[in-house]
Amino acid sequence: MSAASPLLTAEERARALTDLPGWQVTDDGRALTRELTFNDFTAAFGFMTRVALMAEKMDHHPEWTNVYNRVSISLSSHDAGGLTGRDLELAGAINRLAGG
Amino acid sequence: MSAASPLLTAEERARALTDLPGWQVTDDGRALTRELTFNDFTAAFGFMTRVALMAEKMDHHPEWTNVYNRVSISLSSHDAGGLTGRDLELAGAINRLAGG
């Protein structure tokens, strides 16, 4: 896809993480992950709904798993083959929604 | 938990699956799984929202993963240590919501 954002360098990834509490970069450097725990299912899914609306607006979507009150999120720019600025933007938006 | 439903027998599991198109029993017999694909993210998440409301009403919740237009669902009764009638009920409700 011609519109793919450029991949982040290792240095850019490391620097960005200092602004994204709760997130980790996977060992292969291709994804950002975060685990969140809520009081119950409705709180977890309510959060997911807010993220879903934001993700759709940003046209960048998470890979995520929900088990009752837990939500595991992985972000990557598949068209670019790894992490780009779009993942950092979505991670930041998710943190703001999480109140973190 | 004293209110745990009884585990299904292998025979009950096999019989129930004939009424639940799209679902499979995992090799260990402890969970029902189904993969669904939608046109796009909003269709997938819209479906998840309907399932979430139903699951909360039934007080029985799926383990599920969403990647863009795909939703992978796993049902099990953890308090009972495997499949019970509650999983069959939720699987049936999900199929009705999926229009299947």
Side-chain angles (χ1 to χ4, degrees):
Chain A
M1 299 184 191
S2 58
S5 305
L7 286 175
L8 299 181
T9 64
E11 190 184 347
E12 286 171 329
R13 290 198 298 265
R15 194 169 56 225
L17 281 184
T18 64
D19 297 326
L20 293 170
W23 292 89
Q24 301 197 312
V25 176
T26 53
D27 288 344
D28 64 7
R30 294 195 175 185
L32 276 173
T33 61
R34 184 172 178 185
E35 316 277 328
L36 297 107
T37 303
F38 299 85
N39 285 340
D40 55 23
F41 175 75
T42 61
F45 197 80
F47 167 77
M48 290 178 74
T49 303
R50 298 185 71 195
V51 172
L53 295 170
M54 175 69 68
E56 182 64 15
K57 198 170 176 178
M58 297 171 75
D59 195 23
H60 193 51
H61 303 85
E63 298 188 13
W64 48 0
T65 296
N66 161 240
V67 180
Y68 194 60
N69 66 333
R70 287 177 287 129
V71 181
S72 304
I73 307 176
S74 177
L75 306 180
S76 188
S77 297
H78 294 289
D79 54 352
L83 286 171
T84 69
R86 303 177 73 206
D87 301 301
L88 303 184
E89 286 169 26
L90 183 52
I94 287 171
N95 275 15
R96 286 188 289 279
L97 289 175
Chain B
M1 299 184 193
S2 59
S5 305
L7 286 175
L8 300 181
T9 64
E11 190 183 346
E12 286 171 328
R13 290 198 298 264
R15 194 168 60 223
L17 280 185
T18 63
D19 298 326
L20 292 170
W23 292 88
Q24 300 197 313
V25 177
T26 53
D27 288 344
D28 64 7
R30 293 194 176 186
L32 276 171
T33 61
R34 184 172 179 187
E35 314 277 327
L36 297 108
T37 303
F38 299 86
N39 284 341
D40 54 23
F41 176 75
T42 61
F45 198 80
F47 167 77
M48 290 178 75
T49 304
R50 298 186 72 196
V51 172
L53 295 170
M54 175 68 68
E56 182 64 14
K57 198 171 177 177
M58 297 171 75
D59 195 22
H60 192 51
H61 303 84
E63 297 188 15
W64 48 0
T65 296
N66 162 238
V67 180
Y68 194 61
N69 66 333
R70 287 176 286 129
V71 180
S72 304
I73 307 175
S74 177
L75 306 180
S76 188
S77 296
H78 294 290
D79 53 351
L83 286 170
T84 69
R86 302 177 73 205
D87 301 301
L88 303 184
E89 286 169 27
L90 183 52
I94 288 171
N95 275 15
R96 287 188 289 279
L97 290 175

